[in-house]
Amino acid sequence: MTAMHPLPSPRVGAPGRIVIVGHGIAGLTAGDTLRREGFSGELTVIGQEPHDPYSRPALSKAMLGDLSTPSPGVVTEVEAQYLAAPSADATVHAGRSAVGLDPEARTVLLDDGGVLAYDGLVIASGARARCFTDSPDEYTLRGLDDARALRQRLADRPAVTVIGGGPLGMEVASAAREAGCEVTLVHRGQPMRRHVGDVLAGLCTSAARDRGLHLVDASVTRVRRDAPAGGLDIELSTGGTLRAEVVVSAIGDDPNDEWLADSGLLTDGRLLIDDWGVVAPGVVAAGDVAWRRSGPGIQRRALWTDAIEQAKVAAAALLHGRSASPVSYAPYFWTEQFGLNLRICGEVPAEVTPTVVDGDLAESRAVLQWEGPTQGGAAAAVNFRIPIPKLRRLARPAPAAA
Ligand SMILES: Cc1cc2nc3c(=O)[nH]c(=O)nc-3n(C[C@H](O)[C@H](O)[C@H](O)COP(=O)(O)OP(=O)(O)OC[C@H]3O[C@@H](n4cnc5c(N)ncnc54)[C@H](O)[C@@H]3O)c2cc1C
């Protein structure tokens, strides 16, 4: 059972200091929610990236889609569309990192030696991309600077090897093909299957092949720099080696929780939140950094909507305690790749064949509905305009028979 912590001190309308660590969507949503819920005290946001907030999902979609105006170091017109206004009415320390936390003293230590006292703390420090090497020929895509660097490199039309066939790997592969690169994607099993189930994964894979993606079914055991020749050698579980000019690794992420190592707040090395986002007295967390109990295990779902919904609940709990509503939402996820725009509500049961509610899957334009054996329903729109609330209604599990 989740331990119940006494709830934090800041009160609606009363003076108080809330610190938010993390300048991504979870941190911004928490800040907006605190103000909307009536918090009128001092709000301070610490954000490691020096940039104004931007849309992370756009990095692998629109931002890689237009390579005609690469201008590294400058916010291009394309990028500007995805830069959001800074959170209102907060002191933002962009380019600063939290490096330590003392929950007893209620202080956050900053990388410039500064110490920030708080009455309430929101931990929203997100996650970072995993990689194999420190080679300049291996790219990852997590932040705006990564996207700028990759845009610039793709504009030279190198041969690209993408490692990882989840949504991020497939989106990058799609953009690289679009840019005119030869693209190989290495993934054990069928790309996208874990995320969207058999039927949609089949659709993604055939759309990718139709657009010239070369798929290699293997795991990568090691990536080595080849110093004399340049480039990288990718060693495969099947025994072979692939030579690569440019590698993009899309092999998952690790939570940014090192700064909490001595705080006593990590459980088995993980930052665990309850259904209100509460970690400890006066401390809540949300987004990619946080783990939640799910059935007998714990999980960390690194998705945009999860970050937003968790942040709203955590911010409300910081002000109102557990009289605020606990987290409760149906998962929502989208991806754009190889001419497919997929939007999915609920968790797709991988092996169940969906009902086609509208359109025609053979034409890659359809609305699909699943009735899951255990976890309720799911619904998906494939290149189909349908309001999200309607898609959510389709995903709701049918009421149990009386
Ligand atoms: C390229 C890409 C495409 C994606 N596309 C989709 C999509 O289509 N659909 C979807 O549902 N999800 C998508 N996601 C996932 C989604 O973007 C994330 O789940 C979401 O952005 C998580 O938000 P967050 O605020 O928790 O973390 P982050 O966005 O990682 O923000 C955390 C911020 O905290 C900062 N930080 C870290 N450590 C510290 C510290 N010690 N002190 C201060 N600041 C710190 C980081 O620099 C970062 O700016 C995508 C992710 C990526 C990388």
Side-chain angles (χ1 to χ4, degrees):
M1 230 184 102
T2 311
M4 297 288 273
H5 295 289
L7 276 151
S9 44
R11 288 282 169 257
V12 177
R17 298 155 302 176
I18 295 183
V19 171
I20 300 175
V21 176
H23 204 201
I25 190 64
L28 289 173
T29 304
D32 288 347
T33 306
L34 288 166
R35 289 299 187 215
R36 205 167 306 128
E37 293 281 327
F39 175 68
S40 60
E42 208 178 284
L43 192 56
T44 306
V45 181
I46 314 298
Q48 195 170 66
E49 294 179 74
H51 314 291
D52 281 345
Y54 57 87
S55 163
R56 211 170 286 290
L59 298 180
S60 53
K61 302 175 183 69
M63 275 256 329
L64 290 185
D66 175 5
L67 301 183
S68 56
T69 55
S71 66
V74 177
V75 175
T76 66
E77 259 177 52
V78 180
E79 292 170 6
Q81 297 171 43
Y82 302 101
L83 291 170
S87 193
D89 208 8
T91 304
V92 180
H93 297 279
R96 282 268 78 82
S97 298
V99 294
L101 171 66
D102 182 342
E104 297 297 317
R106 296 199 173 199
T107 51
V108 173
L109 178 64
L110 303 184
D111 57 352
D112 63 356
V115 176
L116 278 178
Y118 65 82
D119 301 308
L121 174 69
V122 180
I123 298 174
S125 46
R128 62 183 176 282
R130 291 186 194 133
C131 61
F132 288 98
T133 71
D134 58 2
S135 163
D137 294 320
E138 181 184 6
Y139 290 75
T140 54
L141 183 52
R142 180 74 202 181
L144 188 57
D145 294 335
D146 301 331
R148 286 175 174 163
L150 188 56
R151 264 168 73 91
Q152 200 184 7
R153 189 71 187 260
L154 292 183
D156 296 335
R157 315 280 181 269
V160 176
T161 302
V162 177
I163 305 178
L168 180 58
M170 289 290 272
E171 288 177 3
V172 170
S174 173
R177 278 301 297 147
E178 212 48 38
C181 305
E182 281 297 312
V183 186
T184 301
L185 185 137
V186 187
H187 180 85
R188 179 92 188 88
Q190 183 160 45
M192 295 295 294
R193 182 178 184 274
R194 187 166 69 79
H195 300 83
V196 300
D198 284 337
V199 170
L200 289 180
L203 195 68
C204 292
T205 308
S206 62
R209 284 210 171 96
D210 288 349
R211 291 181 182 227
L213 180 70
H214 178 52
L215 281 168
V216 174
D217 185 350
S219 311
V220 171
T221 52
R222 197 153 78 113
V223 178
R224 274 186 295 113
R225 300 172 80 142
D226 186 335
L232 294 156
D233 283 333
I234 301 169
E235 294 178 9
L236 304 177
S237 55
T238 46
T241 299
L242 291 177
R243 292 252 50 221
E245 190 180 351
V246 166
V247 166
V248 183
S249 293
I251 51 172
D253 51 47
D254 292 314
N256 291 320
D257 55 15
E258 289 75 9
W259 65 282
L260 300 168
D262 297 326
S263 68
L265 295 187
L266 302 183
T267 308
D268 297 329
R270 291 163 172 174
L271 185 69
L272 199 55
I273 55 174
D274 70 7
D275 287 347
W276 286 264
V278 174
V279 179
V283 183
V284 297
D288 285 9
V289 71
W291 295 79
R292 277 183 65 204
R293 289 191 194 283
S294 168
I298 60 171
Q299 68 167 198
R300 190 176 65 87
R301 251 212 329 242
L303 290 172
W304 187 255
T305 308
D306 294 68
I308 291 172
E309 297 300 329
Q310 289 174 13
K312 286 181 189 166
V313 168
L318 203 50
L319 298 178
H320 309 301
R322 289 194 182 83
S323 61
S325 305
V327 76
S328 167
Y329 58 92
Y332 173 76
F333 154 79
W334 76 101
T335 179
E336 293 162 23
Q337 50 181 271
F338 299 104
L340 296 173
N341 179 320
L342 304 185
R343 291 178 295 145
I344 300 174
C345 293
E347 284 183 35
V348 173
E351 288 160 17
V352 178
T353 304
T355 308
V356 179
V357 177
D358 205 342
D360 185 349
L361 207 49
E363 291 172 8
S364 299
R365 187 179 167 278
V367 178
L368 309 177
Q369 189 181 35
W370 286 261
E371 279 185 38
T374 53
Q375 68 271 60
V382 181
N383 291 344
F384 205 105
R385 287 173 76 90
I386 177 171
I388 294 173
K390 195 169 174 192
L391 202 60
R392 282 197 190 284
R393 282 197 294 279
L394 281 173
R396 269 195 205 131

